[in-house]
Each structure stands twice: as structure tokens, then as C-alpha cells.
Amino acid sequence: ASCDGSVKLWDGVSGRCVRTIGQAHDGRAATAVAFSRSAKYVLSTGLDSCVRLWDVGSGRLVQTYAGARLEALNAQAVFSHDEALVLVPDAQTNAVVCWDAHSAQVLAQTAEHSDRITWIAASPAAPAFMTCSDDECVRFWGR
């Protein structure tokens, strides 16, 4: 992720850049990335308030998730444990927006934090995630 809006994929062994997705966020800063379990896809989050799903092999845009406000340089999105959902904190509402990963339809929004969510982490094995917020609370979300 980078301030020029590009997403760069690096070979972890050689340290060589193997793919650059230029203008991934319309010239706005790309703030974070998250790989799918298979490493075939990567989510990128940007200050254009979009989360984008990219095919790692081709660099092709697969899906765009819109409807959350992303304002912080640490804004990030994560996959749910089964990769059926994409989750991202919304800076405007202090909620977590949940999209269907395939259709990009908003399925739900949480509404428990009273201040900006600063971090989100999804369980790799169960339908659960945790959020940290400037309201000094850590919340567990699960069934």
C-alpha cells in the first residue's frame, strides 16, 4: 500500500516487486492490504473510501466494495473466516460494515462503539471478529 494510491506485491524471498497495481484507489492513498487464504486475491483499502478485491496473478480488479467512510491512514479491511464476507470499520458511523464478498451487497452494520474503530481482526477459524476503538473498548463479535 502507498501514498500514491498504488498497490505493490513483493516476492518475500527475493525482495523484488512482482506486480504494481497503479492508481488502485484513484490517486488517493492505499492504506492497507489483506490476502485471501489461498493468496489468489488481495483486498486493498484506500482513502477513496473504497475497498477493492484484486486478482493477484493478473492484477485485475474483481470487485469494489463501497458504502463505508475510510479516513485514517491505518484503515483496513479483512475477510471473514470463510471469505464469504468483507469487513471494514466505517469512520463516519463507528460501525463495522459487512459486505457479501461476491455481490458487494451490504449485509449488516454493527453499532456498538462510541468512537472511531482503530483496528479489526477476523478469526481464521470461526465466524467471529474483534474490534478496538478510541472509545477504549475492545469488542468481540461472534455467534
Side-chain angles (χ1 to χ4, degrees):
S2 65
C3 287
D4 69 359
S6 65
V7 172
K8 294 182 181 272
L9 301 172
W10 299 85
D11 180 301
V13 175
S14 71
R16 189 174 61 91
C17 180
V18 294
R19 177 166 316 284
T20 299
I21 302 169
Q23 298 296 309
H25 289 278
D26 299 328
R28 303 289 308 274
T31 59
V33 295
F35 280 94
S36 65
R37 281 191 202 196
S38 67
K40 288 177 62 176
Y41 301 100
V42 67
L43 284 173
S44 68
T45 312
L47 292 184
D48 61 348
S49 288
C50 286
V51 176
R52 293 195 166 91
L53 180 66
W54 303 93
D55 180 285
V56 170
S58 68
R60 180 181 63 85
L61 177 64
V62 176
Q63 189 66 268
T64 299
Y65 308 94
R69 185 111 179 230
L70 308 172
E71 297 175 347
L73 285 176
N74 67 341
Q76 88 225 52
V78 296
F79 287 105
S80 62
H81 76 291
D82 58 1
E83 297 183 350
L85 303 174
V86 172
L87 310 165
V88 69
D90 183 335
Q92 187 170 7
T93 63
N94 304 320
V96 173
V97 178
C98 257
W99 287 283
D100 178 283
H102 300 287
S103 71
Q105 178 182 3
V106 175
L107 300 177
Q109 291 190 19
T110 65
E112 297 292 325
H113 284 291
S114 62
D115 206 343
R116 183 177 71 93
I117 296 171
T118 56
W119 197 256
I120 184 170
S123 167
F129 63 97
M130 294 184 77
T131 53
C132 301
S133 170
D134 282 341
D135 64 7
E136 299 181 0
C137 290
V138 175
R139 298 204 185 273
F140 173 81
W141 307 86
R143 294 184 196 184

